[in-house]
Amino acid sequence: MKFLITIVLLLVAVATASVVPQKEERIIGGSIASAGQFPYAVGLITRINILLSGQCAGSLLSNRFILTSASCVSGIQSAVAVIGGLNINDATEPGQIRPTITQFIVHNGYIEGTDDFDVAFAVLPIPISFTDNIRPVRLPNRRQVEGTFVGRQGTFLGWGRFGDGTSNSDVLRFGSSSVITNLSCRLSLPTNTILNEHICTDGYDAEAGRGSPCQGDSGAPLTVVDTDGITTLIGVFSFHSILGCDGGRATVFTRLSAYLDWIQNNSDILLRQLENYGTGTSTMKSLIAIVLLLVAVATASVVPQKEERIIGGSIASAGQFPYAVGLITRINVLMSGQCAGSLLSNRFILTSASCVSGIQSAVAVIGGLNINDASEAGQVRQTVTQFIVHNGYIEGTDDFDVAFAVLPIPISFTDNIRPVRLPNRRQVEATFVGQQGTFMGWGRFGDGTSNSDVLRFGRSQVITNLSCRLSLPTNSILDEHICTEGLDTTAGRGSPCQGDSGAPLTVVDADGITTLVGVFSFHSILGCDGGRAAVFTRISAYLDWIQNNSDIVIQDNFQ
């Protein structure tokens, strides 16, 4: 009866075309977003004429330009842009702004009712100010024009209808699904024309955890977490199968890397000419390792073990790691040191015990990139004298290597100062093996002999504790440790080292939010660039200690 069903669906679509605009799409199989989770998300309440209105979505690219689909705004009179909020129907929501837009730039190749060139801008009448909950999203760079993003987990969001409901959602919801090849997309949607200018995701499958945009979400963003850890916009939702958005067929988005010139020519967006978002490289690796080992032995009496650093890393950008804290420690009147930590609340910084044990004080550098520039815009410095070291920690050992630095004055959150999330109690047994970990700090970089002025970051995959023990046979690797693969610049793997003790290890969790899973503790006696595993204190093993010694409340599960 497949042919008959198709004819019936076609007749239904034709019969309802005059009252249900094609651009009305929705998210199914999704979750409710939290405040600030998607600061670039924009809801658009459109006015088609005096009688008809609609709803769609877009992405904030700058303080004036919202990127959406042409099918969302073509032929409309105006739109109310809902920015910085979760509830599209609550104009009193704190932090939400609702400017009315009358200027739209639709791609000149778009023909209403078709799927090609489905991209447009909604132009804000007045530039908006960025806040914690209002920030633009990044576009692909020009070196990614040929990038397919196949196999990457895509995230989409919107205020459309949810599940089998008959009305749009009041609150922002999001879902995820893997990016598939255009060939797979064509096979999934044989009656549609899938062009190179499209990008597709797997269809809805509740059992597999895959969602799909649908009514109310036309123009909604499709993002991926790029190789440098930054969310990057790669598509805007265009259309789905005639069988419906919950029929398990592929979902189609406009591929933004195909429209970079159009975007730049029609907005205030300047596209980056970056070579790659990847990590740095190193030459003469063996010689450097020998030199660094000799330097470490020669200076062992004056360089404390807790002085660690990032190697094989890249320079961070403003706001990329808003939870990162540099700690300039004062050991005594003659000696000082440097390490790192993570902001968990407006008063508590999580670090390693080896970073703060036995010190007199520390200057916490928060919200900045340059640890040595106190005049840097947005940077906050507080002198800390209160430290809470795990009572099981013995100086010079590797166990119970966790501590708090307690700020004397609660800090205010900004775009560049925000806490990082901890694992929930249901993740106590989670290993995070195979996930890409990110670490960062102000330690020494490459073959330099001094710490870095600016924040740097690196990446490496989380490995099993058995693999860690095999990599570090002379060290005691406990269940309370979590490890990453050692430095390998050819594979793009970095490693923390001198100057980065206490530095955060994070992963992007299943819901797309960055989660702190470790603080850097130690590396091999052969050195941090010897290719051996790096060892962190496993945060999920210390959730009770964290809650009992701070103002942090550990969640039972992520909502």
Side-chain angles (χ1 to χ4, degrees), residues 422 425 546-547 550-556:
L422 291 171
R425 293 192 180 278
I546 289 170
Q547 181 164 295
S550 71
D551 58 6
I552 311 300
V553 177
I554 305 298
Q555 299 179 62
D556 290 329

Side-chain angles (χ1 to χ4, degrees), residues 130-186:
F130 297 142
T131 68
D132 287 352
N133 296 338
I134 301 175
R135 293 196 312 276
V137 65
R138 185 172 77 174
L139 289 169
N141 65 40
R142 292 192 180 278
R143 289 288 296 270
Q144 293 178 301
V145 168
E146 300 301 323
T148 64
F149 302 100
V150 169
R152 306 284 291 277
Q153 179 174 267
T155 300
F156 36 78
L157 44 121
W159 287 265
R161 300 178 194 162
F162 179 71
D164 58 357
T166 56
S167 60
N168 290 329
S169 173
D170 287 334
V171 296
L172 181 62
R173 295 179 181 267
F174 69 98
S176 62
S177 192
S178 293
V179 177
I180 61 175
T181 66
N182 278 27
L183 175 59
S184 296
C185 194
R186 292 181 183 110

Side-chain angles (χ1 to χ4, degrees), residues 228-343:
D228 60 354
I230 297 179
T231 297
T232 302
L233 182 68
I234 62 172
V236 295
F237 179 52
S238 182
F239 67 95
H240 56 73
S241 166
I242 192 172
L243 298 177
C245 45
D246 54 0
R249 300 302 179 101
T251 303
V252 186
F253 301 76
T254 300
R255 184 184 295 271
L256 294 185
S257 57
Y259 292 93
L260 295 183
D261 286 337
W262 181 86
I263 288 171
Q264 180 163 293
N265 293 338
N266 289 276
S267 71
D268 58 7
I269 311 301
L270 293 177
L271 297 168
R272 288 151 303 134
Q273 305 283 347
L274 297 181
E275 53 273 19
N276 275 317
Y277 299 143
T279 58
T281 58
S282 173
T283 58
M284 302 180 67
K285 181 177 174 183
S286 298
L287 179 59
I288 291 169
I290 293 170
V291 171
L292 286 171
L293 185 58
L294 291 173
V295 170
V297 172
T299 60
S301 61
V302 295
V303 180
Q305 182 181 354
K306 61 176 169 277
E307 286 295 306
E308 310 295 340
R309 66 182 172 99
I310 295 286
I311 58 174
S314 304
I315 295 174
S317 59
Q320 186 176 357
F321 304 108
Y323 50 85
V325 179
L327 293 167
I328 304 170
T329 59
R330 173 62 61 187
I331 302 169
N332 55 45
V333 70
L334 296 176
M335 297 182 67
S336 64
Q338 185 174 303
C339 43
S342 305
L343 191 66

Side-chain angles (χ1 to χ4, degrees), residues 30-52:
S31 305
I32 296 174
S34 58
Q37 186 176 356
F38 303 107
Y40 50 86
V42 179
L44 293 168
I45 304 170
T46 59
R47 173 62 60 188
I48 301 168
N49 55 44
I50 195 171
L51 297 175
L52 289 170

Side-chain angles (χ1 to χ4, degrees), residues 94-106:
Q96 183 188 118
I97 61 173
R98 300 169 74 96
T100 297
I101 299 175
T102 57
Q103 182 184 357
F104 306 97
I105 303 172
V106 176

